[in-house]
Amino acid sequence: MNFQQLRSVRETARNGFNLTEVAAMLYTSQPGVSRQIRELEEELGVTIFARAGKRLTGLTAPGQTLLPIVERLLQEADNLRQAGREFVSRLEGGLSIAATHSQARYALPHAVRDFRALFPQVTLNLHQGSPKQVAEMLIAGEADIGIATEALASYPQLVTLPCYRWTHSIVLPHGHPLLRIDAPLTLQQLAEHPVITYDQGYTGRSHIDDAFAKQGLKPNVVITAMDADVIKTYVELGMGVGIVASIAVDSDRDRHLQALDARHLFEINVTRLAVRRGTWLRGYAYSFIENFAPSLTRQMVEEALNDELITV
């Protein structure tokens, strides 16, 4: 048994059983991938992949049991390499952060700036995506740390820890009729105007929808976007009332808008930090986490990573 055999199995499952793509990814030939899989099956005495002629069509029952073990073996091999690098060079290397746009744009900049000052020899790679894409990048090993509000806690392959709590704000152009209301804004009043807010699955959108639904209201959502800056742009044009994360409101930059606190309208949101369960993090990765979320100490994160039953 060797690691190339294990990689061939893992990448075949990840790439939809397309051996041409697997061969390209592993810098080998398609017959070479087939041979590695066949030799591992012969050694284990089981068939890992179902076949239709020469084409692989899926995992067999033994294959479904063995694949998580293959994943763990390769993860531990990567952990071993990372541990070695940690002792050889504690202050050099790379760190990949996957985050949604709102986190990358509004929550991460100060943490990134401070991290670069502390670890100038570490290359920091920032990846943006939807919460689902952030989770997939972590699971695939393409990112070390993921940060998002939606979705992360639903993946058993990930350890998720709460970073901070936040609320939404209503953003309006100056002179909007809703600004003339003396009492706290209601959802009924909000539902009487066109709404511009986040796409489904982004930045607490589920809490927005739930709040309206609980009162039997259906908001007139006319534009959705992943980016709060895009939402605010269309609000400035008078196309609707904006609902954005409070962290995205900047009085200096948003001079053409006014913001109303909406914490009484929508449930509080929790932004979470996630890492792949069982992964090895370099020392500077823990420093980044503590800088971004001071409550997440290295000891807390290590205990979560080592606890296979952790639920947050």
Side-chain angles (χ1 to χ4, degrees), residues 91-94 116 118-123:
L91 302 179
E92 297 179 1
R116 289 289 302 141
L118 289 171
F119 301 97
Q121 301 304 312
V122 176
T123 300

Side-chain angles (χ1 to χ4, degrees), residues 88 156 240:
V88 172

Side-chain angles (χ1 to χ4, degrees), residues 126-196:
L126 297 177
H127 306 279
Q128 291 185 48
S130 68
K132 181 174 183 290
Q133 289 170 330
V134 169
E136 289 172 346
M137 282 187 272
L138 288 170
I139 293 169
E142 298 170 3
D144 304 303
I145 298 169
I147 301 170
T149 298
E150 307 268 3
L152 293 184
S154 62
Y155 290 84
Q157 304 97 315
L158 303 179
V159 172
T160 61
L161 297 164
C163 296
Y164 64 92
R165 295 155 64 88
W166 57 271
T167 58
H168 286 100
S169 289
I170 308 300
V171 288
L172 305 156
H174 294 298
H176 194 281
L178 289 177
L179 294 172
R180 295 195 290 269
I181 299 174
D182 291 332
L185 189 66
T186 67
L187 288 176
Q188 179 66 55
Q189 292 165 333
L190 199 57
E192 294 172 359
H193 297 266
V195 171
I196 305 172

Side-chain angles (χ1 to χ4, degrees), residues 64 67 172 224 245 280:
Q64 292 174 1
L67 183 60
L172 305 156
T224 64
W280 171 277

Side-chain angles (χ1 to χ4, degrees), residues 159-161 275-279 281 286 289 295-312:
V159 172
T160 61
L161 297 164
V275 291
R276 184 177 178 181
R277 194 178 299 280
T279 196
L281 292 177
Y286 290 104
I289 292 172
S295 62
L296 299 183
T297 64
R298 177 167 184 162
Q299 179 180 353
M300 178 184 295
V301 177
E302 286 182 332
E303 288 176 355
L305 284 171
N306 293 325
D307 184 354
E308 290 298 320
L309 299 179
I310 187 79
T311 56
V312 179

Side-chain angles (χ1 to χ4, degrees), residues 78 150 175 270:
D78 186 62
E150 307 268 3
V270 178

Side-chain angles (χ1 to χ4, degrees), residues 11-312:
E11 297 307 326
T12 297
R14 285 184 176 181
N15 287 276
F17 314 106
N18 187 323
L19 296 188
T20 301
E21 292 183 6
V22 175
M25 182 170 292
L26 297 180
Y27 302 101
T28 185
S29 64
Q30 183 173 334
V33 173
S34 297
R35 185 180 66 255
Q36 296 286 354
I37 292 172
R38 186 171 60 255
E39 288 176 354
L40 180 61
E41 289 179 324
E42 290 173 355
E43 182 174 349
L44 297 176
V46 298
T47 301
I48 297 174
F49 294 104
R51 293 168 169 82
K54 294 183 178 181
R55 185 168 59 88
L56 303 187
T57 58
L59 287 165
T60 62
Q64 292 174 1
T65 299
L66 293 175
L67 183 60
I69 300 173
V70 169
E71 294 271 8
R72 287 199 297 272
L73 287 171
L74 290 171
Q75 177 67 53
E76 289 302 324
D78 186 62
N79 288 345
L80 189 61
R81 285 190 291 270
Q82 294 285 358
R85 293 189 191 116
E86 176 75 2
F87 289 103
V88 172
S89 178
R90 294 178 180 271
L91 302 179
E92 297 179 1
L95 182 64
S96 293
I97 310 294
T100 58
H101 175 87
S102 293
Q103 302 303 323
R105 170 67 178 81
Y106 300 107
L108 282 173
H110 291 295
V112 169
R113 179 197 61 194
D114 295 344
F115 179 82
R116 289 289 302 141
L118 289 171
F119 301 97
Q121 301 304 312
V122 176
T123 300
L124 192 60
N125 299 307
L126 297 177
H127 306 279
Q128 291 185 48
S130 68
K132 181 174 183 290
Q133 289 170 330
V134 169
E136 289 172 346
M137 282 187 272
L138 288 170
I139 293 169
E142 298 170 3
D144 304 303
I145 298 169
I147 301 170
T149 298
E150 307 268 3
L152 293 184
S154 62
Y155 290 84
Q157 304 97 315
L158 303 179
V159 172
T160 61
L161 297 164
C163 296
Y164 64 92
R165 295 155 64 88
W166 57 271
T167 58
H168 286 100
S169 289
I170 308 300
V171 288
L172 305 156
H174 294 298
H176 194 281
L178 289 177
L179 294 172
R180 295 195 290 269
I181 299 174
D182 291 332
L185 189 66
T186 67
L187 288 176
Q188 179 66 55
Q189 292 165 333
L190 199 57
E192 294 172 359
H193 297 266
V195 171
I196 305 172
T197 191
Y198 298 103
D199 285 345
Q200 294 285 349
Y202 282 81
T203 321
R205 172 64 191 272
S206 59
H207 287 168
I208 295 172
D209 293 340
D210 289 346
F212 281 105
K214 286 177 182 177
Q215 294 197 18
L217 299 172
K218 185 175 181 180
N220 179 23
V221 178
V222 294
I223 299 175
T224 64
M226 297 180 290
D227 181 344
D229 289 337
V230 172
I231 294 170
K232 290 185 290 185
T233 295
Y234 289 103
V235 172
E236 284 185 26
L237 293 174
M239 300 184 67
V241 173
I243 305 176
V244 299
S246 295
I247 195 174
V249 178
D250 186 326
S251 58
D252 291 332
R253 293 182 179 180
D254 302 326
R255 296 177 182 175
H256 301 293
L257 298 173
Q258 283 185 249
L260 299 176
D261 191 343
R263 71 182 63 201
H264 65 292
L265 298 177
F266 308 114
E267 189 176 338
I268 291 174
N269 301 275
V270 178
T271 289
R272 297 175 182 273
L273 181 144
V275 291
R276 184 177 178 181
R277 194 178 299 280
T279 196
W280 171 277
L281 292 177
R282 302 283 296 273
Y284 52 70
Y286 290 104
S287 295
F288 180 91
I289 292 172
E290 287 191 30
N291 191 295
F292 177 70
S295 62
L296 299 183
T297 64
R298 177 167 184 162
Q299 179 180 353
M300 178 184 295
V301 177
E302 286 182 332
E303 288 176 355
L305 284 171
N306 293 325
D307 184 354
E308 290 298 320
L309 299 179
I310 187 79
T311 56
V312 179

